[in-house]
DNA sequence: ACAAATTTAGACACACTTGTCCAATTCGTC
DNA sequence: GACGAATTGGACAAGTGTGTCTAAATTTGT
């Protein structure tokens, strides 16, 4: 059964496939039940492997937890940076472009599986494993905020916005755009596409009301006059 | 020892005092360790009572957890409404008054012991006990948001602000004022007085930039020109 | 098809936790 | 000082979870 085209992708497939399957199931169970409440047997069952395989691959409950956090952190950061790369540097319609960007950010980074899981793990276990989340804090918020701030600074430099401190503006943008999703996030739920769009729309409009450039060529004001 | 003035407050003191002591210790341990990780022996030790006393008073781990949540919800809501009562209806200096209000809200409701504990319990166990947090959601966010929105509506009606939807404005006010505290909140920390003040100041300034009334008597613009 | 590595199911020891029971002690009240 | 209620510390059974071990079954590479 080694003739070129085999239905299973690769020789070392099952092994690696099981590893990621275990990490995925572990993320789900750790988030649902908390670290203390998580049960290795349940993780193994949910991953479709035996308990012994879990121990063979990751050795320990705590090591498995660390692997889960590292995995989530890595994928979440990648997603956030990929989305920041789609920031509208030369906006046609500033309001519409920023709303679309905010929706992308929410859908691909904040509300997706990895984002919700990582957020919950940080909230639940962040105090108990401070050193574990240190590199999340450095490479996550530490880098993404300034990356986003740089994009807003460029937008201001190009004359589309009037911003005092780009770091503050970036954080306030995020806060405004998620303002109406806080309670849903708190309870671990996933907001509907419509809720995301409405929160983003309201947030971007307020953001632009506050940061629209003060002096602009006559007759070329950005379109904000909906509400 | 029942003569009017006794050093210990009341006849039925020890009994009730122990009850609240247990609930307080339980809140602390449930938050630190999660429901599954919380240990009755540890709660008893932290409350300074024996394990049997915990069972005598609350009967069950789950009943104790419910008592903790009810207690926290009640006190938090009381604090929030008491603070909303101090909303500046007739502001002398709108910016300064709103900043002071935001700082009060943070210090007395969001960052204090009860606020942090309740938030963490909701985030950690909200999915697993949906019915338990139902009345929190109704009487907590459900009422406090509209109470705050009503205050902003009055402020707009009196001509101090130009607001489209008061509910949206109230949520965005909260989001802006806490924008720079999100990461600290996530990790369960307590921001410093200075961080609270800075976040509130930046948030209120942006809020007023967005919602300052559009037409105002000449020469009476609110003071926003710091940054 | 064969040999090596991996996976599996089950049993197992060990530790921990919950909730109960009970005798001894302490506390509040008269 | 004495009575009754509450509290304490400890022992206890039952259940659960972690991590290890083993022999059998399966999969993988050659």
């Amino acid at each position: 059964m080694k003739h070129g085209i085999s239905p299973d992708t690769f020789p070392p497939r099952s092994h690696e496939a099981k590893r990621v399957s275990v990490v995925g199931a572990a993320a789900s169970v750790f988030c649902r039940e908390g670290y203390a409440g998580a049960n290795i047997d349940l993780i193994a069952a949910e991953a479709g492997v035996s308990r012994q395989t879990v121990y063979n691959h990751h050795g320990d409950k705590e090591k498995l937890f660390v692997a889960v956090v590292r995995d989530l952190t890595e994928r979440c950061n990648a997603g956030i940076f990929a989305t920041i790369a789609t920031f509208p540097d030369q906006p046609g319609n500033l309001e519409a472009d920023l709303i679309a960007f905010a929706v992308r950010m929410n859908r691909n980074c904040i509300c997706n599986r990895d984002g919700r899981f990582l957020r919950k793990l940080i909230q639940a276990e962040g105090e108990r494993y401070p050193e574990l989340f240190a590199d999340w804090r450095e490479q996550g918020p530490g880098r993404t905020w300034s990356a986003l701030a740089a994009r807003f600074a460029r937008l201001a430099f190009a004359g589309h916005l009037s911003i005092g401190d780009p770091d503050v503006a970036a954080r306030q943008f995020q806060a405004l755009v998620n303002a109406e999703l806080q309670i849903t996030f708190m309870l671990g739920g996933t907001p509907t596409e419509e809720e995301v769009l409405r929160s983003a729309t309201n947030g971007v409009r307020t953001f632009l009301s506050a940061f629209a450039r003060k002096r602009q060529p006559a007759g070329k004001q950005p379109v904000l006059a909906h509400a």
Side-chain angles (χ1 to χ4, degrees), chain A residues 4-221:
Chain A
I5 318 118
S6 59
D8 33 16
T9 46
F10 262 131
R13 131 104 203 227
S14 238
H15 193 64
E16 262 317 289
K18 281 177 203 286
R19 164 173 255 109
V20 304
S21 172
V22 169
V23 173
S28 171
V29 175
F30 277 134
C31 283
R32 216 171 45 237
E33 316 284 349
Y35 179 83
N39 182 310
I40 303 279
D41 286 357
L42 183 59
I43 292 173
E46 205 154 306
V49 303
S50 74
R51 176 177 57 233
Q52 188 59 44
T53 299
V54 177
Y55 284 106
N56 285 343
H57 278 267
H58 298 98
D60 203 341
K61 187 179 184 182
E62 187 154 346
K63 290 201 189 72
L64 174 58
F65 183 71
V66 171
V68 166
V69 172
R70 295 228 189 288
D71 182 63
L72 289 176
T73 302
E74 206 171 312
R75 276 218 303 283
C76 277
N77 277 340
I80 290 175
F81 278 107
T83 304
I84 287 181
T86 71
F87 187 88
D89 279 317
Q90 283 140 13
N93 179 335
L94 186 56
E95 178 179 313
D97 290 351
L98 281 179
I99 290 172
F101 171 73
V103 170
R104 276 197 299 278
M105 191 67 114
N106 256 314
R107 264 284 161 264
N108 301 334
C109 308
I110 317 285
C111 296
N112 69 354
R113 198 193 104 114
D114 294 337
R116 282 181 295 123
F117 282 2
L118 182 58
R119 199 165 49 244
K120 183 147 181 194
L121 287 186
I122 289 165
Q123 288 165 349
E125 317 290 345
E127 286 176 285
R128 291 163 58 67
Y129 303 91
E131 75 292 348
L132 177 60
F133 294 97
D135 72 301
W136 164 77
R137 194 168 181 173
E138 287 169 22
Q139 299 176 6
R143 297 205 178 284
T144 56
W145 286 129
S146 48
L148 192 59
R151 296 317 200 91
F152 275 114
R154 185 189 291 194
L155 220 47
F157 184 76
H160 295 98
L161 292 174
S162 173
I163 287 177
D165 183 333
D167 288 289
V168 171
R171 281 194 290 264
Q172 291 183 338
F173 179 81
Q174 274 292 344
L176 280 171
V177 152
N178 292 328
E180 305 183 21
L181 310 176
Q182 292 300 331
I183 297 132
T184 306
F185 283 161
M186 257 200 160
L187 288 162
T190 314
T192 67
E193 194 79 41
E194 193 189 337
E195 289 171 325
V196 170
L197 179 60
R198 188 174 44 207
S199 184
T201 303
N202 288 331
V204 167
R205 284 188 185 148
T206 296
F207 182 83
L208 289 180
S209 294
F211 292 107
R213 70 179 154 180
K214 287 156 191 159
R215 307 197 160 278
Q216 51 216 337
K220 286 192 64 180
Q221 286 110 357

